[in-house]
Amino acid sequence: MNNDNTINEEQDEDLDILGVIFKYLRYWYWFVLTGAIGMGWAYQYLRQYTPVYEVKASLLIKDDRSKRFSKDIKDEFSVNDPKVIDNEIEVLKSRPLVGKVIDALNLTVSYWKEGSARDEELHTKSPIKINTKDLTDYAYGNPLYIKPFDDNKYQVVTADQNILGTFDYSQLVKTKHGTFRVFKRDSVSIVDSTPIKVLFQSREGLIGGLAGSLQIAPLKEYYSTIISIGLQTTVPDKGKDILNKLLEEYAFGTLEDKNREATNTLRFIEERLKLVTSELGDVEQDVEQYRRSQGITDLSSEASLFLGKVEENDAKINELDIRENVLNEVERYLNSTQVGNIAPATMMVNDPVLNSYIDQFVQLEAERSKLAQTVQPGNPYLETINNQMKNVKQAIRENLNNQKANIQVSRRSLEALNNRLSGSISTIPRKEREYVGIKRQAGIKENLYLLLLQKREETALSYASTVTDSRVIEAPFLTGQIRPNSKNIYMMAILLALVIPATIIATKELLTNTVQTKKEIERKTGLKVFGEIAIKPRENKGEIIDTGSRSFISEQIRMIRSNMKYILSNDVHEGIANVILFTSSTGGEGKTFVATNIAASLALLDKRVVILGLDLRKPTIHSYLGVANKKGISNYLIGKAKAEDIVVSTSINNVYLAPSGPMPPNPSELIANGRIKDLIDELKYSFDYIIMDTPPIGLVTDATLLAPYAEATFYLIRHNKTPKMFLSTIKELDRKKTFKSFNLIFNAVNIKKSADYGYGYGYGTQYGGYYGEEKSSKGWFDKLMAKK
């Protein structure tokens, strides 16, 4: 009969998915355990991790150079906008500016509240604040504890709980940490006397840390002068205070730079006013004294005309003198090599081209000053600014020389005109002529005085209306918590809870070299499993199962018995026995156990069954059935016994046994001598079934020698016992048709540990447990531990 148990190559994908799922669900308790551990770890981690928040602000950098410069000058000398933005970013991150922020907020001293999981920084929520005077190196590595009281006193405690004393607020305290004063913060009430932990930090180290943590970048890469400023902090209010103070100090520094020019102009005007005021007072006294002494009350019309023209020319000459003095100030500024020299009074410069040159030079110098604080000498951009300053300085010098030459020409022209007027004045009577001269000097000083007053008012207005070149677009605000991400932490914990046990299980599966599942057998052999038998219950001490009971294993044996009629060629009603062969790959796979219990199950159908103990090397079946092994098949094969001499009845009704007999020295040769066929032929007419219990085929060839005599062969594969390498041997045996009607039985399947559990055994377990197996009295914890 051809074997029709070869399985299809196409596997049921849904079953494969279920198989993978239930392979891992068998170990559900490990997933629950690792999940609980992972969630506990995540909870504890989040309790101990100090949350980190992000505070942001945005700043607009104004750039009005395009309004002040002509297109040619801007194209020739100006620095491109991205570089300007880079400069402002470096200024915002510069150590001097950050140092001012730290000093203003007193960040070198921090206040903490100790907790069971983590310490919490109080910042402005601290009921006390400390002003340090002198700190020692010991202070930077050792915290100090302040225990505030309600009666305007506090206690100083060291880290090792040593009390240094009780002091009044604002009292100067000297310890090995240094000298400091403690003040009560009026805005925060003292709820209890819990010690406040005080940490001292090095100013230089704090500057480096804060400057490095500032995240400053252009809001957009191109065509924007808006800067985004960010800071990560564990205390949102502290982060806001830092950014607010940073923007405030930056704006103040910008205003300070812009006011230098107005300050210098005012200084220049005030100095000139003092001199002119003194001179004007002296001249006016001379006019008054001359008129009194000479009795002059009025001048003739001609003298008045000449005097008016002379005063007008003298006023122009004074203006030229002032212009020349201003130009000299500019030249002095250009020639000065002193760092931080104050810019010249450009408001007194009337030439727009020179004004634009000076403004540009001042701006370049400010940029160079800022950049020099953040980069090393020789920086390419710093060298670019230096070259631009050199070019602008040369252009200013050329302009100054041209203007000075023009001033000299104008002065000579005015002086020549004055000389001609003086000649005309000589025709006027002497007293009037002398009076015109004195009046002329008074007019010159008065005009100069009025001019300086006008310039001073203009400069004062400019000084008062000075605004910064930047504007805060968004004040510091909290964007939210960035670390830790609680959701991600819990998701990672759950993922690890799934991955770790799944990896261990998969690794265990890869390292396991024994057969684990029915699907594995069918996939690697190409044969369907004929039947499955669960592992024998522990409470069943014997090897013979009560096949008449309703237990799960009994049902499986009866199912195999029922399906045997489809593979056996002989009808038991014809009076010719069916010969069935049981074998396996190695010892201990349960072939003898299965053969005996199949025989017992067949006997329940009132069929006569004889078992031939053909495992001559290691006979065990006689002990299962309680029969002596003094005489048996080995005696028959050597011709020293007859069939009726070796076949004996057993304790099971209708089940007979031909034991192996004494172990011969040459079992394979005895089986191959042909007498076994005679024994089978003789027994065929006395029994309905002949069951041959043979040795493992992986060890000896006895089973293959007996194969021609069997109508059907049952090959035993034991769960978690049969090596996987024998599956290829089984496939080869089927390919070569070594056995007729070759069938596989999956034996001793541990339902709880089988990957097929869940969709293959769920009903069977409930069925068997309900009818045949005793319910366990163990608690859930004992069952869980038993599964491990």
Side-chain angles (χ1 to χ4, degrees), residues 113-114 122 127-128 146-150 153 169 188-196:
K113 178 182 178 181
E114 291 187 326
L122 299 176
I128 57 103
I146 304 296
K147 189 174 183 180
F149 300 124
D150 292 333
K153 290 184 178 296
Y169 288 109
V188 181
S189 60
I190 299 175
V191 179
D192 52 31
S193 57
T194 303
I196 297 172

Side-chain angles (χ1 to χ4, degrees), residues 461-507:
L461 288 173
S462 175
Y463 186 86
S465 62
T466 301
V467 294
T468 180
D469 285 337
S470 62
R471 179 165 64 91
V472 176
I473 302 298
E474 286 182 313
F477 64 96
L478 179 65
T479 62
Q481 180 178 319
I482 58 174
R483 291 194 307 271
N485 189 318
S486 302
K487 183 179 179 180
N488 288 348
I489 294 295
Y490 280 113
M491 288 294 292
M492 183 175 67
I494 294 173
L495 182 63
L496 289 176
L498 296 175
V499 169
I500 292 175
T503 303
I504 294 174
I505 293 169
T507 304

Side-chain angles (χ1 to χ4, degrees), residues 162-173:
N162 289 331
I163 299 175
L164 299 182
T166 302
F167 306 93
D168 295 325
Y169 288 109
S170 74
Q171 179 181 347
L172 186 64
V173 179

Side-chain angles (χ1 to χ4, degrees), residues 392-405:
V392 174
K393 186 182 290 187
Q394 182 63 32
I396 292 175
R397 285 200 175 98
E398 293 176 358
N399 187 279
L400 289 175
N401 292 332
N402 292 335
Q403 288 201 49
K404 284 183 179 181

Side-chain angles (χ1 to χ4, degrees), residues 545-546 549-556 558 768 771-773:
I545 302 297
D546 183 4
S549 70
R550 301 301 301 275
S551 65
F552 180 45
I553 190 170
S554 299
E555 289 291 343
Q556 289 181 308
R558 282 195 291 271
Y771 285 98
E773 297 178 1

Side-chain angles (χ1 to χ4, degrees), residues 392-523:
V392 174
K393 186 182 290 187
Q394 182 63 32
I396 292 175
R397 285 200 175 98
E398 293 176 358
N399 187 279
L400 289 175
N401 292 332
N402 292 335
Q403 288 201 49
K404 284 183 179 181
N406 292 335
I407 288 172
Q408 294 298 328
V409 172
S410 298
R411 179 184 286 113
R412 285 195 294 269
S413 175
L414 292 172
E415 288 177 349
L417 180 58
N418 276 352
N419 290 332
R420 290 197 298 272
L421 289 173
S422 297
S424 299
I425 292 174
S426 62
T427 61
I428 301 174
R430 182 180 61 78
K431 288 184 179 181
E432 290 183 356
R433 186 172 62 250
E434 292 177 351
Y435 180 72
V436 167
I438 297 173
K439 187 65 175 176
R440 172 186 173 188
Q441 293 298 322
I444 293 172
K445 300 302 181 184
E446 183 179 356
N447 290 336
L448 181 57
Y449 180 77
L450 293 175
L451 176 64
L452 291 174
L453 286 178
Q454 179 186 357
K455 291 297 182 179
R456 185 176 69 175
E457 290 303 316
E458 292 175 357
T459 305
L461 288 173
S462 175
Y463 186 86
S465 62
T466 301
V467 294
T468 180
D469 285 337
S470 62
R471 179 165 64 91
V472 176
I473 302 298
E474 286 182 313
F477 64 96
L478 179 65
T479 62
Q481 180 178 319
I482 58 174
R483 291 194 307 271
N485 189 318
S486 302
K487 183 179 179 180
N488 288 348
I489 294 295
Y490 280 113
M491 288 294 292
M492 183 175 67
I494 294 173
L495 182 63
L496 289 176
L498 296 175
V499 169
I500 292 175
T503 303
I504 294 174
I505 293 169
T507 304
K508 178 186 175 185
E509 294 287 338
L510 289 174
L511 297 178
T512 301
N513 63 350
T514 56
V515 177
Q516 298 296 313
T517 66
K518 169 186 172 182
K519 293 184 68 63
E520 182 181 22
I521 297 172
E522 294 177 341
R523 186 176 66 254

